[in-house]
């Protein structure tokens, strides 16, 4: 068993049970919570010194994942958050990333992406405890952004603003195919798999 703790906060019991089963099978300790208010209380009380993160559903009754995360931040409670939703959209991802989320995963969850996100979350948790460790990551993101051409930088700005390819094409006065080409180059240079990854890099580089 490894020394790690993962909170899952989601109002869907079947989903929680499925994710818990997989993560426990990989050696993680999992705390499954169905109510965001209960989850907030648990996270506020967290005093773990081992690897720790939270898988947080972004859309729940009474309290959204974003509201829960905001409450934690206001109280200086840093626990890396991985957002999950069945209704993914870029504007929502942008808002999630501005709160410092690790990433934004769409349901049904891709377990390979989830494991990668959890590894990033544990790294971020340790960086938080030792801020000097995070400097290399920031430098790497900055280098990737600086490698973009002027046009690619424009495309990057449009992507993280949540705009679709057709809208970007109209804004910049170019064809949709040209946007798609530049978008592909931006994703490759930034080493990003999703638009949410781009948002994370841009926000962290600017901080």
């Amino acid at each position: 068993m490894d020394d790690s703790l993962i909170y899952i906060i989601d109002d869907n019991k079947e989903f929680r049970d499925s994710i818990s089963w997989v993560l426990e099978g990989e050696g993680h300790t999992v705390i499954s919570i169905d109510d965001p208010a209960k989850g907030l209380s648990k996270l506020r009380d967290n005093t773990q010194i081992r690897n720790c993160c939270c898988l947080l559903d972004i859309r729940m009754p009474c309290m959204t994942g974003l509201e829960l995360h905001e409450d934690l931040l206001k109280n200086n409670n840093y626990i890396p958050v991985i957002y999950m939703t069945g209704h993914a959209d870029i504007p929502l991802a942008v808002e999630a990333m501005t709160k410092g989320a690790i990433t934004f995963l769409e349901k049904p969850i891709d377990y390979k992406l989830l494991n990668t996100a959890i590894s990033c979350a544990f790294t971020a948790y340790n960086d938080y405890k030792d801020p000097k460790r995070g400097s290399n990551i920031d430098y790497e993101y900055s280098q990737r952004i600086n490698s973009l051409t002027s046009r690619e930088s424009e495309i990057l700005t449009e992507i993280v603003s949540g705009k679709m390819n057709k809208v970007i094409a109209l804004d910049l006065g170019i064809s949709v195919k040209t946007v798609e080409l530049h978008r592909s180059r931006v994703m490759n240079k930034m080493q990003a798999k999703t638009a949410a990854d781009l948002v994370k890099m841009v926000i962290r580089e600017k901080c």
Side-chain angles (χ1 to χ4, degrees):
M1 300 289 285
D2 67 9
D3 191 27
S4 60
L5 174 63
I6 300 175
Y7 294 89
I8 301 176
I9 304 176
D10 193 297
D11 59 326
N12 186 318
K13 183 180 185 303
E14 186 175 315
F15 175 79
R16 290 198 322 276
D17 289 347
S18 176
I19 295 290
S20 296
W21 183 80
V22 171
L23 294 178
E24 287 173 346
E26 294 175 350
H28 302 293
T29 298
V30 177
I31 296 179
S32 177
I33 305 169
D34 63 346
D35 179 77
K38 293 178 182 177
L40 181 59
S41 178
K42 287 279 188 181
L43 293 172
R44 282 174 176 167
D45 294 338
N46 176 67
T47 57
Q48 298 295 323
I49 59 173
R50 54 182 171 173
N51 286 333
C52 178
C53 70
C54 176
L55 306 184
L56 181 60
D57 186 22
I58 206 164
R59 298 177 187 270
M60 292 180 287
C62 301
M63 178 187 294
T64 68
L66 291 170
E67 291 170 339
L68 187 157
H69 195 185
E70 185 174 352
D71 187 284
L72 289 175
L73 295 174
K74 285 181 178 178
N75 288 280
N76 298 315
N77 191 332
Y78 179 84
I79 294 177
V81 169
I82 298 168
Y83 280 105
M84 309 176 295
T85 184
H87 310 277
D89 59 85
I90 298 304
L92 200 58
V94 170
E95 186 176 356
M97 290 304 173
T98 59
K99 296 185 185 301
I102 297 300
T103 193
F104 191 94
L105 300 179
E106 187 174 2
K107 297 177 182 178
I109 298 297
D110 180 319
Y111 288 106
K112 183 176 180 180
L113 293 180
L114 176 60
N115 284 327
T116 298
I118 289 172
S119 294
C120 290
F122 290 161
T123 297
Y125 189 59
N126 287 309
D127 286 345
Y128 174 75
K129 291 186 291 183
D130 182 5
K132 293 181 180 179
R133 293 184 53 184
S135 60
N136 288 335
I137 296 174
D138 298 334
Y139 176 76
E140 184 177 333
Y141 289 166
S142 179
Q143 288 295 96
R144 292 178 194 175
I145 290 175
N146 290 336
S147 73
L148 302 179
T149 65
S150 296
R151 177 62 82 186
E152 289 165 354
S153 294
E154 290 178 327
I155 297 293
L156 173 62
T157 299
E158 297 286 297
I159 293 173
V160 298
S161 295
K163 296 179 181 178
M164 304 298 289
N165 287 349
K166 290 183 179 180
V167 177
I168 296 175
L170 287 173
D171 286 350
L172 301 181
I174 56 180
S175 69
V176 173
K177 286 187 177 180
T178 300
V179 172
E180 292 173 348
L181 176 61
H182 285 303
R183 186 181 187 120
S184 176
R185 289 174 178 170
V186 168
M187 298 297 283
N188 287 333
K189 288 186 177 182
M190 295 297 293
Q191 300 178 35
K193 293 182 179 180
T194 66
D197 290 338
L198 291 179
V199 174
K200 176 185 70 174
M201 294 178 196
V202 170
I203 290 173
R204 182 154 185 171
E205 192 271 339
K206 289 182 178 180
C207 291

